[in-house]
Amino acid sequence: MTGTLIVNNLAGLLIISSLLVIGARQPKNSALFYALQSLILVLIFIALAYTMHAEELFLWSGTAFVTKVLVVPYIMYKALGKLQDANADTPVIGMGLLILIAAIIIVLSYLVVDSVKLPMVEDLKPALSVSLSHFFLGLLCIVSQRNILKQIFGYCLMENGAHLTLALMAYKAPELVEIGVATDAIFAVIIMSVMARKIYRTLKTLDVRQLTALKG
């Protein structure tokens, strides 16, 4: 099995893990599925490092493992694990429709990427289309969920997609770039987690529909 085939197959697993993140009813489960997705992303970095002979990606994989597989899921699992609101766990759209929309997003993303001539990633277009689709899957998570905590994971999915795009298109970028991206993600999750806790303590709800009480 060639390196590019491994990368493309692992990218396919990213899609499955994204659906698990979005579809999980409990934010704690979403945190675990996000950690799984981030581990797959780390494996993609390692496979790309061997395929592209890019030693920088080995450093990327180490940084991504610490920040995405360990730190961010831990923050989400521990800091927000005690916040419970059963009324907010029901999504806006059902799982069947969610999968259908996700399939449309994936197909359209592939068609967009396939129409563009990119010699440097010609054999990795499936993986690149996955990275593009992750941005829209993140948006789908945000608009389809009533639970504020689940919407935070929408941002995390978008960030993973951007991370994969960077690895595919700029795999020779220095480690400092990877550290910057990872640090931004950690601080963003911390800030959103603090805001979610304050909203819960004030309104005793995680349902975004109840946030109209903050108007004025």
Side-chain angles (χ1 to χ4, degrees), residues 78-146:
K78 288 294 185 180
L80 304 178
K82 296 181 180 180
L83 307 184
Q84 301 291 333
D85 185 0
N87 294 328
D89 289 339
T90 303
V92 177
I93 60 177
M95 192 61 183
L97 182 57
L98 181 70
I99 293 176
L100 176 60
I101 296 175
I104 294 173
I105 289 174
I106 295 167
V107 171
L108 291 178
S109 297
Y110 180 80
L111 292 176
V112 170
V113 170
D114 191 54
S115 64
V116 179
K117 300 301 180 182
L118 298 169
M120 63 183 301
V121 289
E122 185 64 31
D123 296 330
L124 293 172
K125 282 187 175 181
L128 188 60
S129 66
V130 167
S131 69
L132 175 61
S133 65
H134 260 69
F135 179 82
F136 297 102
L137 288 175
L139 288 178
L140 177 62
C141 181
I142 292 173
V143 302
S144 67
Q145 303 297 317
R146 292 161 47 188

Side-chain angles (χ1 to χ4, degrees), residues 12-149:
L13 293 179
L14 284 181
I15 295 294
I16 297 175
S17 61
S18 291
L19 293 177
L20 292 174
V21 170
I22 300 173
R25 287 297 183 93
Q26 297 294 327
K28 276 190 172 183
N29 293 334
S30 291
L32 296 176
F33 288 133
Y34 173 75
L36 174 62
Q37 177 179 104
S38 298
L39 180 59
I40 296 172
L41 186 65
V42 169
L43 295 177
I44 290 177
F45 288 169
I46 295 174
L48 279 173
Y50 280 110
T51 303
M52 302 297 186
H53 305 289
E55 295 182 359
E56 295 83 357
L57 287 177
F58 286 116
L59 298 176
W60 282 39
S61 62
T63 303
F65 181 82
V66 173
T67 57
K68 293 177 174 296
V69 180
L70 300 179
V71 177
V72 171
Y74 179 82
I75 292 173
M76 296 294 292
Y77 193 89
K78 288 294 185 180
L80 304 178
K82 296 181 180 180
L83 307 184
Q84 301 291 333
D85 185 0
N87 294 328
D89 289 339
T90 303
V92 177
I93 60 177
M95 192 61 183
L97 182 57
L98 181 70
I99 293 176
L100 176 60
I101 296 175
I104 294 173
I105 289 174
I106 295 167
V107 171
L108 291 178
S109 297
Y110 180 80
L111 292 176
V112 170
V113 170
D114 191 54
S115 64
V116 179
K117 300 301 180 182
L118 298 169
M120 63 183 301
V121 289
E122 185 64 31
D123 296 330
L124 293 172
K125 282 187 175 181
L128 188 60
S129 66
V130 167
S131 69
L132 175 61
S133 65
H134 260 69
F135 179 82
F136 297 102
L137 288 175
L139 288 178
L140 177 62
C141 181
I142 292 173
V143 302
S144 67
Q145 303 297 317
R146 292 161 47 188
N147 192 315
I148 299 172
L149 308 185

